Amino acid sequence: MAREGRNPTISDVAELAGVSVPTVSRVLTGAARVSPAKRELVEAAIAELNFRPSAAARVLVSRKSRTIAVIAGNTSRYGYAETIRGIEIAARAEGYTVMITVVESADEEEVDRAVSATRMQTLAGVVVLKFDPPGVAALHKLGTDLPVVALSGTRESGVPQAVLDEAAAAEELTEYLLGLGHRTVHHVRVPPSRRVDGRTSGWKRALTKAGAPVPAVRDATWEPKSGIAVGGELAADPEVTAVFCGNDEIAMGVMRGITEAGRRVPEDISVAGFDDHPLAELWSPPLTTVRQDFASLGVRGFQLLKQAIDDAVVRRYSSERPTLVLRESTAAPRAR
Amino acid sequence: MAREGRNPTISDVAELAGVSVPTVSRVLTGAARVSPAKRELVEAAIAELNFRPSAAARVLVSRKSRTIAVIAGNTSRYGYAETIRGIEIAARAEGYTVMITVVESADEEEVDRAVSATRMQTLAGVVVLKFDPPGVAALHKLGTDLPVVALSGTRESGVPQAVLDEAAAAEELTEYLLGLGHRTVHHVRVPPSRRVDGRTSGWKRALTKAGAPVPAVRDATWEPKSGIAVGGELAADPEVTAVFCGNDEIAMGVMRGITEAGRRVPEDISVAGFDDHPLAELWSPPLTTVRQDFASLGVRGFQLLKQAIDDAVVRRYSSERPTLVLRESTAAPRAR
DNA sequence: ATGAAAGCGCTAACAA
DNA sequence: TTGTTAGCGCTTTCAT
């Protein structure tokens, strides 16, 4: 009999409906046919008791889970947050639950901790945000006994992955800047995920193709403010007429540094960003950038994972080309 | 014997270590003393097999879970994302896993869906982001048989909650603006969680106290762009000399609208925001605002939840007063 | 189509 | 301190 003070179980439902426990299970899972009469009884009992099956018991016996994990180096920065949002939307649509694991650093100990914490759960699969070194490290530690999909800006061998082709977009943006008449384009990099970074390599490729000089790369952190100092240095160099920044937030910092140094954007120096942050078009001047659809990256990532979970014919890649967004922070250089 | 192709279980460990299954369990949970000799054997076996206990089995038998759920109307907007980050950090430090449930709307059907999905898992507790109507609705549907903590900007009766005292901060900001010499302060509101909203009520209180006229509230959406049109309207009214916006992103939109209308900030119109978004200080002019520590709100929320989970003496409230940040988007009105 | 029986991997209660 | 026994709430055989 259903006791008070605890959640109803499947046997409470079975008893109330006057059927066996497996029959209730059949109604729940839809795995086998149940006569309409019994099904109705069972459904009434479920509703009356407000019964919800225990996910833990289901997982234990069926060895199948409706939970996926997302491993990420960060959850709140724009690209990360939007990507996770996309994953969650796609997962929810398919009835999957999402749990989050944050990997703070690429230290072996921290990566082990994160992977262990993740793998304690019985999971249907894992999506790894391979945007940074912690993500890359976690991906490698994860093992192959579980469906895994990586999300990133550069296609790489190994697990299936959904990609935003950053290199192609960065190349296009750099070519646009050169086409405006700039002799070359300087580059401020955000912390790269590996030695090579799609945005940086696309930039370099465009310069090389055009026979333009390749200036030394300048590094910024993820903090928008770190762009201010870099902007100041850039403003001090009269050779600099165009700057391509690794993301919009850094670009905003760089623009402030340039402005504080008394030079104007885009009249003296053109500045372009990357991502199309929601505030990029509100900035003064509105930012020329590359639109990255992170939410769609997350959706595509989950879809790839779903295929792997279902043992479907697994497409290993899903690539999308971010698009150039021309606004007012870039212009032709002034005549010298 | 440990078979290939499946995860090792506690009995594999027991067998390899030459002890009983419960002894392994004791080592795992630390619940009872085990002789150093056996403990070492067990630990060696665990390491050799790379054994990880099944969370599902543990939950099933112990009825205790190390997973908490976060229910939120949104995951990627600044305040939400930072709050979730804080919850995750605090949870991780205590060995808890975080799952996310998004409630898209306050529709009964959607709220039921979200709550059901959440409650399928055996949870230690739930943190609800009560920043918007979906969050409020989910909180009410959640039931009382589970530790629940709400996070919001306004203290309210009911479940324990961690709060950022928005009303007090909004009042302080409005007083500051009035103190600058503005006859009154106009207000642009972001979508409120209920009829009353802390930011709006603090603003109104300050005006009333000062005997200043209370202008009609203008509404914006969460989209920063929605501020542009509002800014244009405000700029067209010569009576408007100071505007308090519900968040920084809207303030940025409003400032753009004002600028596009040919008026200047702060010379013609002062504009203040709320939140201290990371880009607020980089904006031109840098934004006067109220710093809200969302990450700390999340941490405090988890701590409250942890106390409830542990049946400790439960503090029901944790309140923090956001602080005024004075920058350059506000100034005294020009002499008329 | 339905039920009886078994058992997923662990912890709790008890005995030794 | 340690082992034996029982059983958490389900799904999965296997009969019927």
Side-chain angles (χ1 to χ4, degrees):
Chain A
M1 197 194 103
R3 280 161 285 157
E4 297 299 321
R6 74 189 221 321
N7 291 330
T9 71
I10 195 171
S11 8
D12 298 328
V13 175
E15 194 183 339
L16 181 60
V19 302
S20 71
V21 167
T23 296
V24 178
S25 175
R26 285 171 191 124
V27 171
L28 253 25
T29 60
R33 270 177 303 281
V34 174
S35 68
K38 303 223 165 191
R39 149 164 282 120
E40 223 163 274
L41 284 169
V42 169
E43 276 162 355
I46 288 174
E48 182 174 340
L49 295 174
N50 191 25
F51 165 77
R52 269 186 298 263
S54 148
R58 290 185 133 170
V59 159
L60 186 59
V61 60
S62 71
R63 292 140 174 297
K64 273 171 204 154
S65 162
R66 280 270 184 181
T67 299
I68 65 161
V70 174
I71 299 186
N74 183 280
T75 58
S76 66
R77 272 197 296 269
Y78 175 65
Y80 292 81
E82 278 290 299
T83 304
I84 293 170
R85 186 170 74 85
I87 297 169
E88 193 278 337
I89 288 171
R92 171 152 43 94
E94 299 283 347
Y96 282 75
T97 294
V98 175
M99 43 163 288
I100 301 284
T101 306
V102 173
V103 210
E104 290 273 3
S105 77
D107 293 351
E108 178 155 3
E109 205 177 332
E110 164 66 2
V111 174
D112 279 346
R113 197 230 87 239
V115 170
S116 287
T118 308
R119 303 234 27 186
M120 294 216 62
Q121 315 292 322
T122 305
L123 296 170
V126 182
V127 178
V128 181
L129 269 54
K130 207 191 61 173
F131 294 165
D132 48 27
V136 173
L139 180 61
H140 291 325
K141 279 263 176 188
L142 213 46
T144 52
D145 55 336
L146 192 67
V148 174
V149 168
L151 266 39
S152 71
T154 318
R155 178 168 164 162
E156 232 179 285
S157 61
V159 298
Q161 57 191 294
V163 166
L164 286 167
D165 191 348
E166 298 185 348
E171 184 174 353
E172 186 181 351
L173 175 55
T174 307
E175 279 168 356
Y176 162 74
L177 258 9
L178 293 173
L180 246 25
H182 295 279
R183 195 177 136 260
T184 187
V185 176
H186 289 250
H187 178 47
V188 181
R189 184 170 64 169
V190 286
S193 69
R194 326 198 55 146
R195 277 170 303 102
V196 292
D197 167 272
R199 303 174 196 199
T200 302
S201 57
W203 160 78
K204 199 173 291 175
R205 195 161 59 211
L207 293 184
T208 310
K209 269 194 191 168
V214 180
V217 171
R218 294 171 192 256
D219 282 299
T221 70
W222 288 108
E223 280 305 311
K225 268 189 285 188
S226 74
I228 299 180
V230 180
E233 296 166 22
L234 257 9
D237 180 350
E239 291 294 309
V240 176
T241 64
V243 181
F244 161 45
C245 300
N247 73 30
D248 290 339
E249 287 155 286
I250 295 303
M252 294 173 189
V254 166
M255 284 165 77
R256 166 150 289 269
I258 291 172
T259 309
E260 283 176 1
R263 307 195 66 197
R264 289 163 306 162
V265 177
E267 291 83 351
D268 301 318
I269 302 179
S270 286
V271 177
F274 211 88
D275 286 353
D276 199 22
H277 187 285
L279 295 173
E281 67 172 319
L282 292 180
W283 199 257
S284 307
L287 206 50
T288 291
T289 187
V290 167
R291 175 169 303 139
Q292 302 232 81
D293 193 339
F294 288 107
S296 141
L297 177 70
V299 170
R300 289 185 288 121
F302 178 80
Q303 286 165 348
L304 241 40
L305 185 66
K306 182 73 167 47
Q307 290 173 13
I309 291 168
D310 296 343
D311 276 323
V313 187
V314 182
R315 290 178 46 235
R316 294 189 63 78
Y317 292 102
S318 161
S319 193
E320 198 169 288
R321 169 79 168 269
T323 56
L324 212 54
V325 180
L326 271 19
R327 299 207 183 92
E328 297 159 37
S329 66
T330 50
R334 286 185 305 172
R336 307 250 239 155
Chain B
M1 198 196 102
R3 280 160 284 157
E4 297 299 322
R6 75 188 221 320
N7 290 331
T9 71
I10 196 171
S11 13
D12 299 328
V13 175
E15 194 181 339
L16 181 60
V19 300
S20 71
V21 166
T23 296
V24 178
S25 174
R26 286 170 191 124
V27 171
L28 253 25
T29 60
R33 272 179 302 282
V34 174
S35 69
K38 302 224 165 186
R39 150 163 282 120
E40 223 162 273
L41 284 168
V42 169
E43 276 163 357
I46 288 173
E48 182 174 339
L49 295 174
N50 190 25
F51 166 77
R52 269 187 298 262
S54 149
R58 289 185 135 174
V59 159
L60 185 58
V61 62
S62 73
R63 294 142 173 295
K64 274 172 202 152
S65 163
R66 281 266 181 184
T67 299
I68 65 160
V70 174
I71 300 187
N74 183 279
T75 59
S76 67
R77 273 198 296 269
Y78 174 64
Y80 292 81
E82 278 290 299
T83 304
I84 293 170
R85 187 169 74 83
I87 297 169
E88 193 279 335
I89 287 171
R92 171 152 43 93
E94 299 283 347
Y96 282 75
T97 294
V98 176
M99 45 162 286
I100 301 284
T101 307
V102 175
V103 210
E104 291 273 4
S105 77
D107 291 351
E108 178 155 3
E109 205 177 332
E110 164 64 3
V111 173
D112 279 346
R113 195 228 90 240
V115 170
S116 287
T118 308
R119 303 235 27 186
M120 294 217 61
Q121 315 291 321
T122 305
L123 296 170
V126 182
V127 179
V128 181
L129 270 54
K130 208 191 60 173
F131 295 165
D132 48 27
V136 173
L139 179 62
H140 291 325
K141 279 266 178 188
L142 212 45
T144 51
D145 55 335
L146 191 67
V148 174
V149 169
L151 265 39
S152 73
T154 318
R155 179 166 165 164
E156 230 178 287
S157 61
V159 298
Q161 56 190 294
V163 166
L164 287 166
D165 190 350
E166 298 185 348
E171 184 175 352
E172 187 182 350
L173 174 57
T174 307
E175 280 168 357
Y176 163 75
L177 257 10
L178 292 172
L180 245 26
H182 295 278
R183 196 178 137 262
T184 189
V185 176
H186 289 250
H187 178 48
V188 181
R189 183 171 64 170
V190 286
S193 68
R194 324 197 58 146
R195 276 171 301 102
V196 291
D197 168 271
R199 306 175 195 198
T200 302
S201 57
W203 160 78
K204 198 172 292 175
R205 196 160 58 210
L207 292 183
T208 309
K209 270 194 191 168
V214 180
V217 171
R218 294 174 192 255
D219 283 298
T221 70
W222 287 109
E223 282 304 311
K225 266 189 286 188
S226 73
I228 299 180
V230 180
E233 295 166 21
L234 257 8
D237 180 351
E239 291 294 311
V240 175
T241 65
V243 181
F244 162 45
C245 300
N247 74 27
D248 290 339
E249 288 155 285
I250 295 302
M252 294 173 189
V254 166
M255 284 166 78
R256 167 149 290 269
I258 290 172
T259 309
E260 282 176 1
R263 308 196 62 196
R264 289 164 307 161
V265 176
E267 293 83 351
D268 300 320
I269 302 179
S270 286
V271 177
F274 211 87
D275 286 354
D276 199 21
H277 188 285
L279 294 172
E281 67 171 319
L282 292 179
W283 198 258
S284 305
L287 206 49
T288 291
T289 186
V290 167
R291 177 169 301 140
Q292 302 233 81
D293 194 339
F294 288 108
S296 140
L297 177 70
V299 170
R300 290 185 288 121
F302 178 80
Q303 286 166 348
L304 241 40
L305 185 65
K306 181 74 168 44
Q307 289 172 13
I309 291 169
D310 296 343
D311 275 323
V313 188
V314 181
R315 293 178 45 235
R316 294 187 65 78
Y317 291 103
S318 161
S319 192
E320 199 170 286
R321 167 81 168 266
T323 56
L324 212 55
V325 179
L326 270 20
R327 299 207 185 91
E328 298 159 36
S329 65
T330 51
R334 286 185 305 173
R336 309 251 237 155

